[in-house]
């Protein structure tokens, strides 16, 4: 049996593999659609890298200088310092290379034929920028929290590329068929949310006025509307930094752990999307893209992308349903059963007919009467008389 299908996952029917259209399996939530979304995020990063501020010496010293702060290992801090000195002499050339590379990765992800190469480039570039350019996303710096973008957006680009890397036919979720596999992808989500939750245990994050001070500082360079929102929230949380830090930590731990259970997976992923949206508006300020100095939309869009890749999908039902192997086996069993029933019925009829024939041959005729016997007697007498005289009897017609 052959069924026309497009690209996508495969389904085994009648013992053999058959391609199944992504539109039937997951609707809009397919691996390819999520990969296109990742490519669009890379394009946004590349476009932000072409901003005038990025072509100034201040950008290299500010970004790379930030990577040298905190408890970054000394060899990496020293390497970052040397890189910043080297690039400061060729700012325009280096930044043009950075921006062009990110745009090229984004465009390549949008085209299915070049996507495999783009995934490799995405992982390599993200790991390099995260470890060297950003000092591991600033997670070793005091006061860094998921509200401000820990563990860094660029590392999530590498994680997304691994999760969306197709390894086999799509399964319950897009990430289940990725390079990491089902368990590793969910475990990575758990480590990401619970690990960043532990940052709230730092004194710089759970002090009574820590959160208020962070929001006030973020409002300095934002547009008037976002700055007013930051200052309003900062005023509301004054003196409640400890309680809010504990609430953030417990919420993230639950989001990280609940994804490991089938019954609470959708709840965990939905809560993760909601919390990421809150972080994006309040703490991350849309990645500071309105200040002219933002390099990416920050971690929230990547967290949403990861949540969608882990989201359990219900198979879309179609009026022209595609049979599965179980359905084919069921129909085969029904056909065999019907054939056996027909054979049994034919055998029974044959036995009955045979019995009737034997009874008819063995028993006397019952379909004649006395008048018929008299007529037969007359015919026999006439035949005997004709034999004795040698004359042929004249047939008696109906009018004789």
């Amino acid at each position: 049996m052959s069924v026309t299908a497009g690209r996508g996952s495969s389904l085994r029917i009648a013992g053999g593999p058959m391609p199944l259209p992504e539109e039937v399996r997951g609707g809009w939530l397919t691996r390819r659609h999520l990969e296109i979304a990742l490519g669009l995020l890379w394009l946004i990063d590349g476009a932000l890298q072409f901003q005038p501020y990025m072509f100034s010496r201040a950008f290299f010293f500010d970004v790379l200088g930030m990577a040298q702060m905190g408890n970054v290992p000394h060899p990496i801090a020293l390497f970052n310092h040397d890189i910043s000195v080297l690039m400061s002499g060729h700012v325009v050339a280096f930044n043009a290379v950075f921006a062009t590379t990110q745009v090229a990765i984004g465009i390549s992800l949008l085209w299915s034929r070049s996507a495999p190469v783009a995934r490799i480039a995405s992982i390599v570039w993200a790991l390099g920028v995260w470890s060297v350019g950003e000092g591991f996303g600033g997670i070793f710096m005091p006061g860094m929290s998921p509200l401000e973008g820990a563990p860094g957006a660029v590392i999530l680009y590498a994680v997304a590329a691994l999760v969306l890397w197709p390894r086999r036919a799509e399964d319950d979720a897009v990430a289940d068929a990725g390079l990491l596999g089902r368990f590793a992808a969910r475990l990575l989500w758990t480590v990401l949310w619970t690990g960043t939750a532990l940052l709230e245990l730092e004194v710089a994050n759970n002090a009574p006025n820590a959160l208020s001070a962070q929001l006030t500082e973020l409002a300095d360079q934002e547009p008037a509307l976002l700055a007013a929102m930051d200052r309003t929230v900062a005023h509301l949380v004054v003196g409640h930094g400890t309680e809010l830090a504990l609430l953030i930590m417990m919420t993230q731990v639950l989001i990280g752990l609940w994804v490991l259970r089938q019954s609470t997976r959708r709840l965990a992923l939905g809560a993760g999307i909601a919390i990421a949206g809150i972080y994006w508006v309040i703490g991350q300020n849309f990645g500071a893209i309105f200040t002219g100095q933002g390099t990416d939309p920050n971690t929230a869009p990547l967290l949403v992308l990861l949540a969608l890749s882990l989201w359990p999908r219900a198979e879309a039902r179609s009026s022209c349903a595609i049979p599965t192997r179980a359905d084919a086996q069921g129909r085969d069993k029904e056909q065999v059963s019907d054939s056996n029933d027909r054979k049994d019925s034919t055998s029974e009829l044959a036995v009955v007919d045979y019995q009737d024939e034997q009874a008819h041959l063995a028993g006397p005729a019952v379909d004649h009467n006395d008048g018929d016997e008299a007529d037969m007697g007359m015919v026999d007498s006439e035949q005997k008389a004709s034999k004795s005289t040698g004359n042929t009897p004249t047939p008696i017609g109906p009018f004789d």
Side-chain angles (χ1 to χ4, degrees):
M1 178 179 180
S2 62
V3 179
T4 303
R7 297 178 181 177
S9 57
S10 63
L11 181 67
R12 301 189 66 85
I13 173 171
M18 183 192 69
L20 183 64
E22 292 182 346
E23 290 77 6
V24 176
R25 280 286 302 163
W28 62 271
L29 189 57
T30 64
R31 186 205 63 81
R32 183 59 189 147
H33 291 158
L34 295 179
E35 189 173 61
I36 291 175
L38 180 62
L40 293 176
L41 289 175
W42 272 113
L43 284 177
I44 293 175
D45 289 2
L48 293 174
Q49 200 66 38
F50 277 109
Q51 295 178 105
Y53 173 76
M54 309 303 175
F55 289 92
S56 65
R57 298 182 62 183
F59 166 72
F60 288 94
F61 280 109
D62 290 346
V63 173
L64 296 178
M66 186 70 66
Q68 300 171 31
M69 297 176 60
N71 298 321
V72 179
H74 179 70
I76 296 179
L78 183 61
F79 181 76
N80 287 341
H81 174 73
D82 295 339
I83 289 293
S84 62
V85 173
L86 174 64
M87 291 182 178
S88 61
H90 307 278
V91 173
V92 176
F94 278 107
N95 189 70
V97 171
F98 294 163
T100 304
T101 300
Q102 294 177 138
V103 171
I105 293 174
I107 294 176
S108 299
L109 286 172
L110 298 181
W111 190 27
S112 60
R113 292 188 177 182
S114 59
V117 178
R119 286 191 292 268
I120 298 176
S122 177
I123 295 172
V124 174
W125 183 262
L127 291 176
V129 174
W130 183 68
S131 59
V132 177
E134 295 186 357
F136 301 102
I139 58 177
F140 298 109
M141 295 174 54
M144 193 64 178
S145 70
L147 185 64
E148 297 185 29
V154 67
I155 186 60
L156 296 184
Y157 284 91
V159 172
L162 290 173
V163 169
L164 297 178
W165 193 304
R167 186 186 61 172
R168 55 186 176 85
E170 293 190 25
D171 204 340
D172 181 43
V174 173
D176 295 349
L179 189 62
L180 297 179
R182 177 179 303 178
F183 177 75
R186 296 172 186 174
L187 184 62
L188 186 61
W189 172 274
T190 302
V191 172
L192 177 64
W193 281 90
T194 57
T196 54
L198 298 179
L199 296 175
E200 299 298 326
L201 297 176
E202 296 181 0
V203 178
N205 289 329
N206 58 31
N209 295 323
L211 182 58
S212 178
Q214 290 174 357
L215 294 176
T216 302
E217 182 180 0
L218 291 173
D220 291 341
Q221 298 179 346
E222 294 293 336
L225 182 60
L226 288 178
M229 181 185 64
D230 288 340
R231 294 189 179 97
T232 300
V233 177
H235 177 73
L236 294 175
V237 299
V238 170
H240 302 287
T242 304
E243 296 89 335
L244 290 175
L246 180 61
L247 178 62
I248 292 173
M249 183 180 67
M250 294 303 299
T251 301
Q252 291 201 180
V253 169
L254 291 178
I255 291 175
L257 295 178
W258 280 356
V259 79
L260 300 177
R261 298 187 58 185
Q262 182 69 27
S263 58
T264 57
R265 184 167 302 131
R266 283 189 173 88
L267 177 60
L269 297 174
I273 293 174
I275 296 299
I278 295 174
Y279 288 171
W280 198 41
V281 176
I282 296 178
Q284 299 177 9
N285 287 332
F286 303 101
I289 60 177
F290 300 112
T291 64
Q293 300 180 10
T295 58
D296 53 63
N298 219 312
T299 59
L302 275 303
L303 291 174
V304 174
L305 182 65
L306 291 176
L308 293 178
S309 68
L310 290 167
W311 194 276
R313 301 176 304 176
E315 291 188 8
R317 294 184 178 180
S318 173
S319 58
C320 182
I322 299 178
T324 61
R325 184 179 182 180
D327 296 334
Q329 291 177 348
R331 287 197 302 270
D332 292 342
K333 291 180 179 179
E334 292 177 358
Q335 292 175 358
V336 172
S337 178
D338 294 341
S339 178
N340 293 334
D341 292 341
R342 287 195 297 268
K343 290 180 180 179
D344 295 341
S345 178
T346 303
S347 301
E348 292 176 358
L349 291 175
V351 171
V352 172
D353 291 341
Y354 177 77
Q355 292 176 350
D356 291 343
E357 182 179 359
Q358 295 296 323
H360 177 72
L361 295 175
V366 295
D367 293 336
H368 58 273
N369 50 29
D370 296 340
D372 295 335
E373 292 179 355
D375 294 338
M376 292 297 295
M378 293 175 63
V379 172
D380 292 339
S381 300
E382 291 177 355
Q383 290 178 352
K384 291 178 180 179
S386 62
K387 288 181 179 179
S388 59
T389 59
N391 297 325
T392 302
T394 303
I396 300 175
F399 300 101
D400 293 340

